Amino acid sequence: MLKFPVPFATTVFVCTNKRPDGHPKPCCANRGGLELREELRQMVRDAGLEGQIRVFKSGCLGCCEQGPMALKFPDGELMMGIKPEDLPMIFADLASEE
């Protein structure tokens, strides 16, 4: 096993989990998780912060009824019920940490 320091200061995992059709629980993919992740990634790219902030896809983070969800490290912040209009505030928070 190789171990290295994380090369970026902030990591965001956006749930993009897709449940099978007919599953009784909702999923973030069907609630816009994929689009939210892509839009947040593009905001990071446009600001030239790819070396400091990484936005990854995530599997289920739990609390599916409150999705879409994201988890931010290193501060361990869990965000629930994210809407497209929340992304500028989320991005501003990420960018201010750099």
Side-chain angles (χ1 to χ4, degrees):
M1 170 183 14
L2 299 174
K3 291 185 178 184
F4 299 94
V6 177
F8 26 87
T10 304
T11 306
V12 180
F13 293 95
V14 178
C15 181
T16 58
N17 187 53
K18 172 76 172 134
R19 294 189 188 279
D21 291 339
H23 194 283
K25 278 187 149 183
C27 65
C28 290
N30 289 349
R31 292 177 160 193
L34 291 163
E35 296 82 6
L36 290 168
R37 185 241 178 194
E38 273 309 309
E39 190 170 338
L40 187 56
R41 252 182 105 199
Q42 190 61 50
M43 294 167 103
V44 169
R45 276 190 217 119
D46 291 347
L49 294 173
E50 286 182 288
Q52 292 87 27
I53 302 169
R54 294 298 296 246
V55 182
F56 292 106
K57 292 180 183 178
S58 167
C60 184
L61 296 171
C63 300
C64 305
E65 291 77 10
Q66 282 80 39
M69 302 180 60
L71 187 59
K72 183 173 77 165
F73 286 101
D75 51 342
E77 184 175 72
L78 180 63
M79 298 170 269
M80 299 179 188
I82 301 170
K83 298 179 184 104
E85 56 267 24
D86 297 325
L87 291 180
M89 181 182 67
I90 292 169
F91 174 75
D93 184 44
L94 294 170
S96 71
E97 294 175 8
E98 299 317 307

